[in-house]
Amino acid sequence: MTIVFEKENRLFTLCTRNSMYQMKADDKGILLHTYYGKKTEVFDYSYLIQRRDHGFSGNPEEAGNDRTYSTDTLPQEYSSFGSGDYRESALDIRYDNGTRTLGLRYEGYEIIKGKYSIPGLPAMYADENEAETLVITLRDDVQDVRVKLYYGVIEELDIITRTVCVENHGKAQVQLERVMSLCLDQPYGDWDWMTFYGKHEMERQLSRTPIHHGVQSVGSLRGASSHQYNPFVMLADKNATETSGECYGFSLLYSGNFLAAAEKDQFDQTRLIMGIHPENFEFLLKEGETFWAPEVMMVYSADGFEKMSNCYHKAVREHVCRGRFKLERRPVLINNWEGTYFDFTGDKLLEMAKEAASCGVELFVMDDGWFGKRDDDNSGLGDWQVNEKKLGCTLSELADRIHDLGMKFGIWYEPECISEDSDLYRAHPDWAFTVPGRRPTRGRNQLVLDFSREDVRNHIFDEMTKVLDKADVDYLKWDFNRSISDIYCAALPAERQGEVPHRYVLGLYEFLDRLGKRYPDMLIEGCSGGGGRFDAGMLHYNSQIWCSDDTDAIERLKIQYGTSFAYPVSAVGSHVSACPNHQTGRIVPFESRATVAMAGTFGYELDPAKLSEEEKQQIQEQIAEFKKYYDVIHFGNYYRLTNAMEEGPYAAWEFVKEDGSEALVSVVASRVRTNDPGVRIKLRGLKENQIYLVNGEEYPGGALMHGGLLLEEAKKEYQSWNYHIVMK
């Protein structure tokens, strides 16, 4: 059994293949967290909870004269504001009389076969025989608010998920001020805080700092999960590496404002909270109403980061992503954006498609500029009518001509945004986020449509389907190119304006769900100025996301390195772009750009008509190589052989089939110096006693993993190699 309940001492133990999570409802009704770590025999770990009389740490009424019992020091499973716990709280509720004190006590539990789902929100899914769900109910007797803690246990994946449902059973309405999805108290340990920061065109850069006294946090108030911080964080033992040491991963399946915070308290205990950012968040619950928080996926590894990452990769690929393309090979594509920007005609696109088709490219994507009055980024958004004058034909005719070349056809959309210079804005200015009486803040000279409103979503959906129903479109790129500000919903009263940011995300998910159901054979790729909304929540609706608008292969080494800690290669949109690179001006060998792009969905972002015959031949070879290695790249275990954040001579990574029968090692010379010493890298994931062929040469698996592979000497800057390894 994955969930064990001991009735006598009200002890709950959740077991995966390699980890164990435990909590206990004590005799006073407080749900205490007792253990999360390596799987052991089921045992009551509450013996590790230390109780002392600490000054200025108050005692609940149930404790009587026992001053050693304090919610301010106990490891709690789900903390609440105003209860005598002065650490970061998980739940904060304001009542109609203005008070905010909440006293949650254990009421009961339920164990359900299978994995729970969340209304209107993304969540992991699993068959009934793959998962179990534990539901623990806590209750505040004074206000009759009930908090249900949901735990999903997927044993074979080493994943435990968490979410929270708040129910108002009282007569009076309550205002939710903060509802965290996760509260985890670690009474012992000296941890590092690992997060992934960045900016537009340089996302998910790994940061590792010691957890110190006080609160450390990352989050987003931009309306999207953001380029700046990713909703995935880690706690790691100070000595943890890729292959050893304890670490914990926490991935929030949410694409809006979020907060992840770690607090080291006065007694060196660490509390982690994660969920919707409480800033500019309120949600009103009337009698009988409920609120669901987003899901968090938790992974514990006793053997370093790579074990944790591979758990996430398999879980996201097979139990978060949905639809036809979650496991099906995606077509190699070419996008016209960096090849033409807004300056194109239908004939120019067809010329690019012909050249690409002759090289073996399988999908042609028409990017921004095909609709309304749209020759730059200052007008036209919201007017989703095909500009047939610019294309010189209908969209259906263009799609048919692309298909006649043996290629699939794709199209770009930015449904959430609107230009003030558009027919839609002139007809419905109240549909855009603007604060009455104030001039709006613009981003990319555009505003954001209020997707919290059903009428707005329905109009955009109808306009999109009018286009998509008439043309044979195989792929859709969904973009979102600004942060949200000036949030005000004209359809909601003043007391509900704090609900708008979350309602916006719910509206976005509802729209994407409808779109996916209407076009189940269409591949939808997410994008937000590249990686501004790269999170597990979006991957529930888009099986791949454009990783970054930075297409420089050398910059991508760091971006894709950070991304790999929580997200599988199959989710990473990555393309070969033109040189000099449009973002950095850097010149990188054509073959090295392909080596880096193959650690993703793979495609091209250039004008093939401008390439030499030699480069066109290289494209054919690159596509053939990618298809040859597709299964090991997209479904194999992933290993970070070097740290891309360190300035070393090489960047290297490895893909290995789960049975160890095949591997691919990719290497890029990130720094070339004269007369450098030799470099060897130790491979991982192979079978110790098996013989492997490495580009035709025989080596024992143990030798490759413990002795290593001696790399070739780089003869030019940014040279790259792929070492194909197969079991003999």
Coordinates of all heavy atoms in Angstrom, one line a residue, residues 424-450:
L424 N -11.1 45.8 -32.8 CA -11.6 45.2 -31.6 C -11.6 46.2 -30.5 O -12.5 46.4 -29.7 CB -10.9 43.9 -31.3 CG -11.4 43.2 -30.0 CD1 -12.9 42.8 -30.2 CD2 -10.6 42.0 -29.7
Y425 N -10.4 46.9 -30.3 CA -10.3 47.8 -29.2 C -11.3 49.0 -29.4 O -11.9 49.5 -28.4 CB -8.9 48.4 -29.1 CG -8.7 49.3 -27.9 CD1 -8.5 48.7 -26.6 CD2 -8.7 50.7 -28.0 CE1 -8.4 49.6 -25.5 CE2 -8.5 51.5 -26.9 CZ -8.4 51.0 -25.7 OH -8.3 51.8 -24.6
R426 N -11.4 49.5 -30.6 CA -12.3 50.6 -30.8 C -13.8 50.2 -30.5 O -14.6 51.0 -30.1 CB -12.2 51.1 -32.3 CG -10.9 51.9 -32.5 CD -10.8 52.5 -33.9 NE -10.4 51.4 -34.9 CZ -9.1 51.2 -35.2 NH1 -8.2 51.9 -34.6 NH2 -8.8 50.3 -36.1
A427 N -14.1 48.9 -30.7 CA -15.5 48.5 -30.4 C -15.7 48.1 -29.0 O -16.7 48.3 -28.4 CB -15.8 47.3 -31.3
H428 N -14.6 47.6 -28.3 CA -14.7 47.1 -26.9 C -13.5 47.5 -26.1 O -12.8 46.7 -25.6 CB -14.9 45.6 -26.9 CG -16.1 45.1 -27.6 ND1 -17.3 45.1 -27.0 CD2 -16.2 44.5 -28.8 CE1 -18.2 44.6 -27.9 NE2 -17.6 44.2 -29.0
P429 N -13.3 48.8 -25.8 CA -12.2 49.2 -25.0 C -12.2 48.7 -23.6 O -11.2 48.5 -23.0 CB -12.3 50.8 -25.0 CG -13.7 51.1 -25.4 CD -14.1 50.0 -26.3
D430 N -13.4 48.4 -23.1 CA -13.6 47.9 -21.7 C -13.1 46.4 -21.6 O -13.0 45.9 -20.5 CB -15.0 48.0 -21.2 CG -16.0 47.2 -22.1 OD1 -15.9 47.3 -23.3 OD2 -16.8 46.4 -21.5
W431 N -12.8 45.8 -22.7 CA -12.4 44.4 -22.7 C -10.9 44.3 -22.3 O -10.4 43.2 -22.0 CB -12.6 43.7 -24.0 CG -14.0 43.3 -24.2 CD1 -15.1 43.7 -23.5 CD2 -14.6 42.5 -25.3 NE1 -16.3 43.1 -24.0 CE2 -16.0 42.4 -25.1 CE3 -14.0 41.9 -26.4 CZ2 -16.8 41.7 -26.0 CZ3 -14.8 41.2 -27.3 CH2 -16.2 41.1 -27.1
A432 N -10.2 45.4 -22.4 CA -8.7 45.4 -22.1 C -8.5 45.9 -20.6 O -9.3 46.6 -20.1 CB -8.0 46.3 -23.0
F433 N -7.5 45.4 -20.0 CA -7.1 45.8 -18.6 C -6.7 47.3 -18.7 O -5.6 47.6 -19.2 CB -6.0 44.9 -18.1 CG -6.5 43.6 -17.5 CD1 -5.7 42.5 -17.8 CD2 -7.6 43.5 -16.8 CE1 -6.1 41.2 -17.3 CE2 -8.1 42.3 -16.3 CZ -7.3 41.1 -16.5
T434 N -7.5 48.1 -18.1 CA -7.2 49.5 -17.9 C -7.9 49.9 -16.6 O -9.0 49.5 -16.4 CB -7.5 50.4 -19.0 OG1 -8.9 50.3 -19.3 CG2 -6.7 50.1 -20.3
V435 N -7.3 50.8 -15.8 CA -7.9 51.3 -14.6 C -8.7 52.6 -14.9 O -8.1 53.5 -15.5 CB -6.9 51.6 -13.5 CG1 -7.5 52.2 -12.3 CG2 -6.1 50.3 -13.2
P436 N -10.0 52.7 -14.6 CA -10.8 53.8 -14.9 C -10.1 55.1 -14.4 O -9.7 55.2 -13.2 CB -12.1 53.6 -14.2 CG -12.2 52.1 -14.1 CD -10.8 51.6 -13.9
G437 N -10.0 56.1 -15.3 CA -9.4 57.4 -14.9 C -7.9 57.4 -15.0 O -7.3 58.5 -14.7
R438 N -7.2 56.3 -15.3 CA -5.8 56.3 -15.4 C -5.3 55.9 -16.7 O -5.9 55.1 -17.4 CB -5.2 55.3 -14.3 CG -5.4 55.7 -12.9 CD -4.7 54.8 -11.9 NE -4.9 55.1 -10.6 CZ -4.1 56.0 -9.9 NH1 -3.1 56.6 -10.5 NH2 -4.4 56.3 -8.7
R439 N -4.2 56.4 -17.2 CA -3.6 56.0 -18.4 C -2.9 54.7 -18.2 O -2.1 54.5 -17.3 CB -2.6 57.1 -18.9 CG -3.3 58.4 -19.2 CD -2.3 59.5 -19.7 NE -2.9 60.7 -20.1 CZ -2.3 61.8 -20.5 NH1 -1.0 61.8 -20.6 NH2 -2.9 62.9 -20.8
P440 N -3.0 53.8 -19.2 CA -2.5 52.4 -19.0 C -1.0 52.4 -19.2 O -0.4 53.2 -20.0 CB -3.2 51.6 -20.0 CG -3.6 52.6 -21.1 CD -3.8 53.9 -20.4
T441 N -0.4 51.4 -18.6 CA 1.0 51.0 -18.9 C 1.0 50.1 -20.1 O 0.2 49.1 -20.1 CB 1.7 50.4 -17.7 OG1 1.7 51.3 -16.6 CG2 3.1 49.9 -18.1
R442 N 1.8 50.4 -21.1 CA 1.8 49.5 -22.3 C 3.1 48.6 -22.3 O 4.1 49.0 -21.8 CB 1.8 50.3 -23.6 CG 0.5 51.1 -23.7 CD 0.5 52.1 -24.9 NE -0.7 52.9 -25.0 CZ -1.0 54.0 -24.3 NH1 0.0 54.5 -23.4 NH2 -2.1 54.6 -24.4
G443 N 3.0 47.5 -22.9 CA 4.1 46.6 -23.1 C 4.1 46.2 -24.5 O 3.1 45.7 -25.0
R444 N 5.2 46.4 -25.2 CA 5.3 46.2 -26.7 C 4.2 46.9 -27.4 O 3.6 46.5 -28.4 CB 5.2 44.7 -27.0 CG 5.8 44.2 -28.3 CD 5.8 42.7 -28.4 NE 6.4 42.2 -29.6 CZ 5.8 41.5 -30.5 NH1 4.5 41.3 -30.4 NH2 6.4 41.1 -31.6
N445 N 3.8 48.1 -26.8 CA 2.7 48.9 -27.3 C 1.4 48.2 -27.5 O 0.7 48.4 -28.4 CB 3.1 49.6 -28.7 CG 2.3 50.9 -28.9 OD1 1.8 51.5 -28.0 ND2 2.2 51.3 -30.2
Q446 N 1.1 47.3 -26.5 CA -0.1 46.6 -26.5 C -0.7 46.5 -25.1 O 0.0 46.7 -24.1 CB 0.1 45.2 -27.1 CG 1.0 44.3 -26.4 CD 1.5 43.1 -27.2 OE1 1.9 43.2 -28.4 NE2 1.4 41.9 -26.6
L447 N -2.0 46.2 -25.0 CA -2.7 46.0 -23.8 C -3.0 44.5 -23.7 O -2.9 43.7 -24.6 CB -3.9 46.8 -23.7 CG -3.7 48.3 -23.8 CD1 -5.0 49.1 -23.7 CD2 -2.8 48.9 -22.8
V448 N -3.6 44.1 -22.5 CA -4.0 42.7 -22.3 C -5.5 42.6 -22.2 O -6.1 43.4 -21.4 CB -3.3 42.2 -21.0 CG1 -3.7 40.7 -20.7 CG2 -1.8 42.3 -21.1
L449 N -6.0 41.7 -22.9 CA -7.5 41.4 -22.8 C -7.8 40.7 -21.5 O -7.0 39.9 -20.9 CB -7.9 40.5 -24.0 CG -8.0 41.2 -25.3 CD1 -8.2 40.1 -26.4 CD2 -9.1 42.2 -25.4
D450 N -9.0 41.0 -21.0 CA -9.4 40.5 -19.7 C -10.0 39.1 -19.9 O -11.2 38.9 -20.1 CB -10.5 41.4 -19.1 CG -10.9 40.9 -17.7 OD1 -10.5 39.9 -17.3 OD2 -11.7 41.6 -17.1

